[in-house]
Amino acid sequence: MTVLCNSSFQRATFFLTGFQGLEDLHGWISIPFCFIYLTVILGNLTILHVIHTDATLHEPMYYFLAMLALTDLGLCLSTLPTVLGIFWFDAREIGMPACFTQLYFIHTLSLVESSVLLSMSIDRYVAICNPLRYSTVLTPARIVKMGLSSVLRSALLILPLPFLLKRFQYCRSHVLAHAYCLHLEIMKLACSSIIVNHIYGLFVVACTVGVDSLLIFLSYTLILRTVLSIASCQQRFRALNTCVSHVCAVLLFYIPMIGLSLVHRFGEHLPRTVHLLMSYVYLLVPPLMNPIVYSIKTKQIRQRIIKKFQFVKSLRCFCKD
């Protein structure tokens, strides 16, 4: 009976991994992670608050930025419980339902971010290449449809993954390589054929991230062609300057993704710590850096944030007096 219970428990549980060999330092390692998570939450909430409260920012560009901040916030919160749980409480066990739920949200939100970046590139294309039709093309109703279609596409494409994983028997080690659940890692632990998961995973990546990246590249090709046709160098600079923040966001999303993919496929000889760090870079750097980039490079956002801080500071001085 005990063996049966243990066997049932084993099948229903996975074990997450922190920094192996550095378990005694997990308390110290948690400090930068806490700082990163806190910065991500505060930064993205600040962006959302500024856009929500300032009527002058109720424009398509800032609506898409709000979508990006919401996605980054969700991606951060989906990994926070298990990552900090390992560092603080050595809570390595995670049940299959919780693991598959986390996996679903991580992959869905990653695809949503790719879609939002594509929507932002369309916004920049219309603003630069067809400015006279900007307000008629990107209407509030169309922006809502673009946002909903991004979420629905991602959610529906990722939905089969937990069910495809649930049908497997996991007769190998249940130890995952990361502090959170990912489809690729769980799939490798199955003791039956995973060819369907491989094919479907490639299909999802190709028709989302693959298509999005090609369309983003195409939009910037058209933007560059339009900008180079402008006679005034000053106007060229102004037009390109409006794209800097978005280009940075695109690079922050795609470079870590490509790096993690290369490490998984060709870096088997690399230390496990490198794999862990790359996975954290992929999931934490874009949500961390996007609010910083937009706060620095977007004048309107920067000015509103400074005004907010000045107001809070003056309010505190008034209360002391």
Side-chain angles (χ1 to χ4, degrees), residues 244-262:
V244 171
S245 299
H246 178 252
V247 170
C248 290
V250 170
L251 294 177
L252 285 168
F253 178 76
Y254 283 104
I255 290 177
M257 176 184 283
I258 295 168
L260 182 62
S261 177
L262 291 175

Side-chain angles (χ1 to χ4, degrees), residues 36-221:
I36 289 170
Y37 277 118
L38 189 61
T39 305
V40 169
I41 293 168
L42 290 176
N44 285 288
L45 285 177
T46 301
I47 295 289
L48 288 169
H49 174 71
V50 167
I51 292 172
H52 175 71
T53 56
D54 195 323
T56 62
L57 298 180
H58 293 176
E59 297 178 4
M61 175 182 173
Y62 302 108
Y63 288 141
F64 290 126
L65 178 55
M67 292 180 198
L68 185 66
L70 272 174
T71 306
D72 285 339
L73 197 58
L75 199 56
C76 164
L77 294 176
S78 64
T79 61
L80 184 148
T82 53
V83 172
L84 294 185
I86 287 178
F87 291 146
W88 287 350
F89 311 111
D90 196 30
R92 297 181 60 231
E93 295 179 12
I94 184 169
M96 278 192 183
C99 188
F100 291 167
T101 301
Q102 184 184 49
L103 171 153
Y104 178 77
F105 279 104
I106 288 174
H107 289 297
T108 298
L109 290 168
S110 294
L111 297 188
V112 170
E113 180 144 352
S114 176
S115 299
V116 172
L117 290 173
L118 172 60
S119 299
M120 295 174 87
S121 74
I122 294 171
D123 169 78
R124 291 299 84 208
Y125 165 75
V126 177
I128 294 173
C129 300
N130 218 335
L132 297 178
R133 297 188 59 200
Y134 183 73
S135 57
T136 57
V137 172
L138 293 173
T139 61
R142 187 160 289 157
I143 292 168
V144 170
K145 288 178 183 178
M146 291 170 73
L148 288 176
S149 63
S150 299
V151 174
L152 285 174
R153 183 188 74 162
S154 306
L156 292 175
L157 284 172
I158 298 298
L159 187 60
L161 290 184
F163 296 100
L164 289 172
L165 292 172
K166 191 177 180 181
R167 66 193 175 92
F168 290 135
Q169 290 292 324
Y170 297 96
C171 53
R172 298 172 187 167
S173 167
H174 283 216
V175 178
L176 302 175
H178 301 99
Y180 42 81
C181 298
L182 295 175
H183 173 251
L184 184 62
E185 291 296 327
I186 298 173
M187 180 177 68
K188 289 178 180 178
L189 302 180
C191 51
S192 51
S193 174
I194 57 174
I195 186 66
V196 174
N197 289 63
H198 263 304
I199 293 172
Y200 186 73
L202 288 172
F203 165 76
V204 170
V205 171
C207 67
T208 54
V209 176
V211 171
D212 292 349
S213 58
L214 285 174
L215 292 175
I216 290 171
F217 177 78
L218 177 62
S219 67
Y220 272 99
T221 301

